[in-house]
Amino acid sequence: MTDPSYLAAVRESYDTVADDYAALVKPPSALDPLSRSMLSAFAELVRAADRGPVADVGCGPGKVTAHLAGLGVSAFGIDVSPKMVELARTAYPELRFSVGSMTALEIEDDALGGILAYYSTHHTPPESLPVVFSEFHRTLAPGGHLLLVGHVGAGEHRRPGRAYGGHSVSFASYRLPVEQLARLLKHAGFSIDAQLAQEPGEDLRWKLAHFLTHKPTAEESGVAP
C-alpha cells in the first residue's frame, strides 16, 4: 500500500530535525503536573487491565516510551521517521522501536493493551483522522486504553516552514476543536473516560487536550461472546 502523500513530508521533516528535536523537547519528568498525572493514570489503567503491551505511536526519540516503561508498562515505540527511530534505539537499547505509520500499523487485531498518541496526530489532515483512529481501534484489545494528547484550537491549519532549531520543514499542522476530536473518537468506537483541556499559560503556548479512552468489551457493547 502506498503511504498518503502527507506522510512523506512528515517523514522527511522529522528526519531533518531529529537531533535538535531530541535535544529541545522536554522529557516527561519536566512536563506540567497535569500532563504527568494523565500519563500516570494511563499507565495505571493499562497495568490493571493487563490486555497486552502499549504502542507509543509517533514515539519520536523515545522519551515517553521510556517513561511508560519506567511506570511498569510493557511499551514499544513506532515512528514514521527512520532517524527518530535510530535515536530512540541508541538512547534506550533495552526497548523496542520500529519504523511504521499509524495509518497502517503492522500489528494484529486486538493485540495491544494500550496505545499512546502523544502529540503525534496533529500532522494528519482532518479527513484522514478516521483512518488513523480506525487503526487504533482495530489493534487495541477490547478493554484496552488509548491516550490521545495534542494541541487543539478552532480548526487552524498551519505550515510553519521552519521548526526545531530553524530547520526547513514541509509538514502541516492542524489544531482541531476538542468537540470534533471527541466526535471522531466516538465514531471510531471508543468510549471517552476522561477529557482534560488545559488553557495556554506559563507552561503551555497553545491549548492542550487529553482524551483518555478505551475500546469497549463485548459486554459493554451488548454483543454476545
Side-chain angles (χ1 to χ4, degrees), residues 148-152 178 181 195-198 207-211:
L148 175 74
V149 181
H151 292 122
V152 292
V178 170
L181 287 168
Q195 185 174 306
L196 172 66
Q198 294 177 252
K207 187 173 181 178
L208 181 66
H210 308 248
F211 298 90

Side-chain angles (χ1 to χ4, degrees), residues 117-143:
Y118 209 70
Y119 295 90
S120 60
T121 61
H122 60 286
H123 296 306
T124 305
E127 63 271 17
S128 296
L129 281 175
V131 174
V132 170
F133 292 165
S134 176
E135 275 294 273
F136 291 172
H137 189 272
R138 177 186 68 79
T139 56
L140 197 63

Side-chain angles (χ1 to χ4, degrees), residues 3 7 10-11 14-15 58 78-82 85 98-101:
D3 282 341
L7 280 180
V10 174
R11 180 183 296 109
Y14 278 99
D15 277 350
I78 301 170
D79 202 276
V80 73
S81 161
V85 169
S98 60
V99 177
S101 166

Side-chain angles (χ1 to χ4, degrees), residues 135-197:
E135 275 294 273
F136 291 172
H137 189 272
R138 177 186 68 79
T139 56
L140 197 63
H145 294 272
L146 163 69
L147 177 60
L148 175 74
V149 181
H151 292 122
V152 292
E156 296 93 342
H157 175 195
R158 301 177 61 250
R159 289 191 176 276
R162 294 189 178 278
Y164 304 111
H167 295 283
S168 177
V169 295
S170 56
F171 55 59
S173 295
Y174 304 85
R175 294 188 200 141
L176 301 183
V178 170
E179 299 79 8
Q180 183 177 354
L181 287 168
R183 285 196 304 271
L184 288 169
L185 287 166
K186 291 176 181 177
H187 189 265
F190 291 101
S191 293
I192 297 178
D193 301 306
Q195 185 174 306
L196 172 66

